[in-house]
Amino acid sequence: MDATVTLKDVAARAGVSVGTASRVLSGHSATSPAARERVRAAATELGYRMNARAQALRSARSHAVGLLVSDVRNPFFADIAHGAEQTALASSYVTLLANANEDTAQQDTYLDVFLTQRVDGIIIAPQGEGRGDLRALEQARVPLVFVDRTVDGFDVPSVTADNAQGVELAVAHLAEQGHTRIGYIGGPPSVSTGRARLSAFLESIARHELDDDPALITAGDFRRASGGTAAAKLLANHRPPTALLAADSLMAVGAVAEVRRRGLRIGEDLALVAFDDIEWFGELDPPLTVVAHDARALGATAMRLLLDVINGGTAESVVLPMRLIPRRSSSARPTHTAAVHPSV
Amino acid sequence: MDATVTLKDVAARAGVSVGTASRVLSGHSATSPAARERVRAAATELGYRMNARAQALRSARSHAVGLLVSDVRNPFFADIAHGAEQTALASSYVTLLANANEDTAQQDTYLDVFLTQRVDGIIIAPQGEGRGDLRALEQARVPLVFVDRTVDGFDVPSVTADNAQGVELAVAHLAEQGHTRIGYIGGPPSVSTGRARLSAFLESIARHELDDDPALITAGDFRRASGGTAAAKLLANHRPPTALLAADSLMAVGAVAEVRRRGLRIGEDLALVAFDDIEWFGELDPPLTVVAHDARALGATAMRLLLDVINGGTAESVVLPMRLIPRRSSSARPTHTAAVHPSV
DNA sequence: CTGTTAGCGCTTTCAA
DNA sequence: TTGAAAGCGCTAACAG
């Protein structure tokens, strides 16, 4: 019952050597049924619990993986974490969850922690240019997988969403309803998803022959406040957009608040589509149309890749599809809008 | 640059013994300036990174703590986790974050993992009756702190919110506006906060001499769907409540959806107050009045207590105050309501 | 102030 | 199939 029961105690109680006890408990080598039974019994009676640290030290396998997300409080990353964690647990791996807080310095701090803790592998939603400790990881040859985001110049397996497809779905949806001036609220260029979605947007706009007025393009930082600022800027235009596309859920929330503050009704005066589906987006009034990826699947898949790499396999990058979930926020028609704020 | 640089390598390069190298790098004992400089130099040149597992094995101190929350995807717990994690990091402790998923079996699984990993201490938002591995923890004498919730019969320091005060604030607020029939959407009796809030509600109702009709009391499970079910039940009453009090944010969201589904307008036909402030509650339409606790402070305080206990101190339980944040959802007056659905 | 020497709890040869 | 023994990388006496 005491927590400090050691393998030696178990061996003594079972009347075998520590070697045998180890072999029985790890089940790797052959052991006699008699020994097996007595060791097992002794272990239970004593309430033996293996010391994972000693085992890791000796066997150079910690059975722990690090997961570094950009922001735990962002529901999208919480879902990724959940998916990854459950997958790891199923293979009896422990997940060390860390939060970079959208801050490159903290990202480096935690990568350092991971390395010091000698985790068996790392999953990261990276940010920045990939200087600093990200390079150290590569040199340390720790199994690494990128999730949601990537960093140029790193040959690392990744699990990402099909951003181009997602943007195209959104733009096509809006174009179908007659919108030609779509205001874009993008992410920071320092993050791969920010870049990918922007260039996809430009392509989609061209493909559908919509207005490519540069004044319709803004960029935020994937936080709520920046969505408000961007929306304000877009709506202040002398020819404001009739629809908004936000590259991230939190910025979409900020934009919704700003639009409302200006007395405009989303879904009626202005159409809005957001990236990332969040459980409660359907509860907003009006419910938000989104381009959704399955965050949990992103996390689970990333963990699966990582475990593959850890076990000596090779992992191929995976791109998961996105899908459009049309809800009321995008039901506004451009004509409608024009009538409401003719030239604001 | 290689990840497998060992202390021995550093010592060799610096021309000192491993003992001295260890002393310099851990900074615990006195060392000569000369040795210090050369060891430090050697460590940097070699890219030495301490092996935390070996250190933990030898010194019986892992510098890792376990944090077990009931549901990572609940923003409330995400905030707690964030607060705890940042506090731990400041004292250079690593946080192992685990997710019980509101499931007692998974709670036990992770407690087991924590014990096996030999963490220095554990923070948990517990559930259930405290059988199973929770008892094992006590016997293992691992420093333990409860956060948000407690379990009867455990003499463990805790950081909780002042539930009684919170409920009283909410009830007083609604009573002030003339409401006498408040429908209560409570949590599960298996969780301490569920029990505490319910009994506080009954007391507040009595204190303000409001209607104590038992049909006004319902219970959910702290998940969204149950809030909808509970609201449906309350509104189906032949004398429906004119105000709703939800003991948890997710259930509140469910209730909002259900109320809206029935064609009633929150803030006009029906007042609503919810527990737990969530960043986006202000963005719902109408914005939700809440009884808020500072989740981040809960987490940070819990971690502070835990670190105290780990360092041999004694920790006193802390009860943090709640505060009412009045917003539009609670502006409905009872007369108003009666007019809208006279006897539904 | 520093080198030497035992281990921490476990796995893994190597013989028997 | 098993015991004995040698470490994994580090810290903590103990002498000097």
Side-chain angles (χ1 to χ4, degrees), chain A residues 126 128 146-152 156 158-160 191-193 195:
Chain A
F146 287 149
V147 70
D148 181 54
R149 308 166 171 187
T150 59
V151 177
D152 288 344
V156 164
S158 63
V159 181
T160 53
V191 173
S192 67
T193 47
R195 294 191 300 274

Side-chain angles (χ1 to χ4, degrees), chain B residues 148-222:
Chain B
D148 181 54
R149 309 166 172 188
T150 59
V151 176
D152 289 342
F154 278 79
D155 184 24
V156 165
S158 63
V159 182
T160 52
D162 191 340
N163 290 298
Q165 178 216 15
V167 169
E168 170 59 23
L169 285 172
V171 171
H173 174 68
L174 291 170
E176 220 164 69
Q177 307 192 60
H179 293 280
T180 55
R181 288 181 65 78
I182 303 176
Y184 182 71
I185 304 178
S190 60
V191 173
S192 67
T193 47
R195 294 191 300 273
R197 287 171 195 173
L198 173 58
S199 64
F201 180 71
L202 297 176
E203 277 173 37
S204 286
I205 285 297
R207 186 176 307 122
H208 291 275
E209 300 181 335
L210 305 181
D211 201 335
D212 62 353
D213 182 354
L216 292 175
I217 310 285
T218 60
D221 63 0
F222 285 152

